[in-house]
Amino acid sequence: MKTDETMDLSQVEVPEITDAEKQFNEQNAILCSERNLPLQKVKNARDLASVRNSPVKPGRVYRIGRVSDATPQDLDILFGDIGVKTLVDLRSPTELKDDPTLERDEVFANFTDMVFFERGRLVKELGPEEKRMQKKSKRDRVMKAVSGARKGSKDVVLGFVDNFFGAEEDEEDDEDDFGEDECIGCIEAAQLIQESARRRNRKERHFVSIMNELKYVRGTLSKLRKRDIAKTIIKSPTTIISKKARENIKKPFLEEINEGGLPMLNELLLRFGAPGIKYVLDLVSDANRHPVAFYCTAGKDRTGMIAAIILALLETDDDAIVEDYSLSANVYAEMNDHKAMVGALSQRSLDAKTFLGAPPQVMKDTLDTIRLTYGSVEEYLDFIGFDEESRKRLIYVLTTE
């Protein structure tokens, strides 16, 4: 299989859209022009107060796309006019490695970097000379099949396929999780939130990977029937050592991913991303950190999930939450590497139209899944440890003058 770097983009066929989809996108474009911030390079950026009938007060919390591409005009709006004080980067280590502008001084020079580690619920403040992505010594905690994404992978879906089915190049440790004894200089996340007043005057960028390739592997495995896995392995007993056999074993996994699509990704995100989701909600609940802007690559799926949870807790109508999510439908088409994304998905037998869109039904299904699985949004938040007192604080800081 060709790597992303050698792909001939002129041969990539972008999926055609139907007349109904075209009309939907045109309607979305009108709403986007009314609600999105007038930014040049940062896509999909809007105040949660812009959602129809949203109780959120303006200027408290924003959902945006990747901020590192911001133009000088974008920076004037984000950090001048709005005065964003806290950035929350939801991307996985794989995606961070692939972002050449991750440490861009024009954007981040005035921000203190904070890294959230799920294991132990710890946070590490990086020093002025420390970088988020540093090569680490190889550890044996993660099985080789998922120990590192091929350079050029764009998101967790691509990373999953590359990792599980045998990436042979550029293997690095993506699981930056430390135990309490290993995380030098770390403090407990709860303590960091409690002590936020002393940091109220500084800008912070928090790295909170709420979905990565290993979680996607675990989640997909949990969805497959054992007999399907066993049947495939029996047919290809040399899977572990044979590259050709690994190709044969892909079918049930890829079928599960394509059939499950974004609803399954969101379902796994709710389950496996719980510690990070709680941490993000704690940050948003802290008035000392406002205004907060959270983002992933396109500001669509992980960003959309955080936005939906906040809005649902504030009793925003489902239709309005779905509408806000659907405004992300055009975002990948507007990105410079849209063809590369389509090509990368197609190379891995993944349905580009499924994973690059934002159809309303996806968010409808996601909200239904929360209620069916957990009982209610409040009960889901109990499940992740965001208790009633925390919820009251979040509601208060976002809705009170």
Side-chain angles (χ1 to χ4, degrees):
M1 177 167 44
K2 293 180 181 179
T3 63
D4 295 342
E5 288 83 354
T6 61
M7 192 187 334
D8 182 359
L9 295 183
S10 67
Q11 301 301 311
V12 173
E13 294 185 10
V14 176
E16 294 184 4
I17 62 174
T18 64
D19 289 340
E21 289 169 332
K22 184 178 179 181
Q23 183 179 8
F24 172 73
N25 289 341
E26 289 172 349
Q27 293 171 343
N28 265 356
I30 294 172
L31 284 176
C32 285
S33 68
E34 296 171 351
R35 298 183 186 178
N36 284 1
L37 299 176
L39 305 178
Q40 296 174 324
K41 286 292 187 67
V42 179
K43 304 297 183 183
N44 212 17
R46 53 190 172 273
D47 192 330
L48 288 196
S50 71
V51 177
R52 177 163 45 89
N53 297 325
S54 168
V56 178
K57 297 300 181 185
R60 307 283 172 90
V61 58
Y62 295 81
R63 56 171 299 168
I64 63 177
R66 186 177 68 189
V67 72
S68 53
D69 292 331
T71 65
Q73 179 179 313
D74 294 345
L75 296 176
D76 286 342
I77 294 173
L78 288 171
F79 303 140
D81 298 344
I82 294 173
V84 169
K85 187 189 293 185
T86 306
L87 295 170
V88 184
D89 192 325
L90 304 173
R91 295 176 294 170
S92 72
T94 300
E95 295 168 277
L96 297 179
K97 284 180 201 169
D98 290 335
D99 183 357
T101 57
L102 182 65
E103 305 292 348
R104 187 177 160 211
D105 282 345
E106 299 97 314
V107 182
F108 305 113
N110 296 323
F111 283 80
T112 299
D113 285 340
M114 316 287 287
V115 185
F116 172 73
F117 299 113
E118 286 190 6
R119 181 172 300 185
R121 308 298 191 267
L122 301 172
V123 180
K124 180 177 178 61
E125 178 179 327
L126 301 184
E129 302 304 318
E130 290 185 277
K131 304 299 181 186
R132 171 63 183 94
M133 299 310 300
Q134 303 181 59
K135 180 132 183 177
K136 301 183 183 299
S137 59
K138 196 71 178 174
R139 292 174 289 164
D140 294 325
R141 293 178 180 168
V142 183
M143 63 182 186
K144 184 177 179 181
V146 295
S147 62
R150 176 173 298 168
K151 189 175 181 180
S153 293
K154 302 295 183 182
D155 63 13
V156 294
V157 179
L158 302 188
F160 162 75
V161 177
D162 283 346
N163 290 343
F164 192 78
F165 299 117
E168 297 163 356
E169 330 166 17
D170 299 318
E171 287 194 291
E172 294 181 25
D173 188 2
D174 278 347
E175 294 303 303
D176 292 323
D177 287 72
F178 297 91
E180 291 186 36
D181 295 336
E182 300 171 286
C183 192
I184 300 172
C186 288
I187 66 172
E188 292 183 0
Q191 181 183 347
L192 182 81
I193 299 299
Q194 290 168 4
E195 298 176 353
S196 71
R198 66 178 177 84
R199 307 184 337 270
R200 68 163 63 94
N201 293 322
R202 77 176 187 184
K203 295 181 177 181
E204 294 178 352
R205 173 170 56 157
H206 292 253
F207 292 98
V208 190
S209 173
I210 61 174
M211 191 65 179
N212 59 28
E213 294 73 29
L214 180 57
K215 292 175 183 176
Y216 207 27
V217 168
R218 289 171 176 164
T220 304
L221 281 171
S222 72
K223 304 292 284 187
L224 286 168
R225 292 180 300 176
K226 290 181 180 178
R227 68 182 185 186
D228 289 339
I229 300 173
K231 186 189 303 182
T232 307
I233 292 176
I234 289 171
K235 285 183 179 179
S236 305
T238 58
T239 295
I240 295 177
I241 58 175
S242 167
K243 185 175 180 180
K244 183 176 180 180
R246 281 203 304 270
E247 292 293 319
N248 294 331
I249 204 174
K250 284 184 183 182
K251 186 176 179 181
F253 289 90
L254 292 174
E255 286 178 348
E256 187 70 31
I257 293 170
N258 282 318
E259 183 178 344
L262 292 175
M264 186 180 85
L265 180 61
N266 285 345
E267 181 185 345
L268 298 179
L269 177 58
L270 287 165
R271 177 182 169 193
F272 290 99
I277 291 172
K278 178 190 181 299
Y279 182 69
V280 175
L281 295 178
D282 281 332
L283 290 172
V284 175
S285 302
D286 183 1
N288 291 315
R289 300 273 21 110
H290 291 178
V292 178
F294 53 89
Y295 60 96
C296 46
T297 296
K300 181 172 76 74
D301 297 311
R302 286 157 290 184
T303 301
M305 178 63 74
I306 297 291
I309 290 171
I310 293 172
L311 292 167
L313 176 61
L314 299 180
E315 299 184 347
T316 309
D317 292 340
D318 280 10
D319 288 347
I321 297 173
V322 170
E323 180 182 70
D324 180 66
Y325 169 76
S326 298
L327 296 185
S328 300
N330 299 337
V331 64
Y332 273 113
E334 296 172 355
M335 296 176 74
N336 292 334
D337 60 353
H338 177 55
K339 266 201 167 186
M341 285 294 295
V342 172
L345 286 162
S346 299
Q347 280 186 329
R348 294 156 178 83
S349 301
L350 297 168
D351 183 12
K353 196 168 185 179
T354 293
F355 288 101
L356 298 185
Q361 192 62 45
V362 168
M363 185 51 67
K364 290 178 183 176
D365 290 346
T366 298
L367 293 172
D368 287 344
T369 294
I370 291 175
R371 290 160 186 146
L372 181 64
T373 305
Y374 302 97
S376 66
V377 172
E378 290 79 7
E379 288 174 284
Y380 169 71
L381 293 174
D382 278 334
F383 166 76
I384 70 174
F386 196 70
D387 60 19
E388 184 178 3
E389 182 180 348
S390 300
R391 297 196 292 272
K392 287 180 178 178
R393 183 172 61 251
L394 176 62
I395 294 169
Y396 180 82
V397 301
L398 291 185
T399 62
T400 305
E401 292 290 356

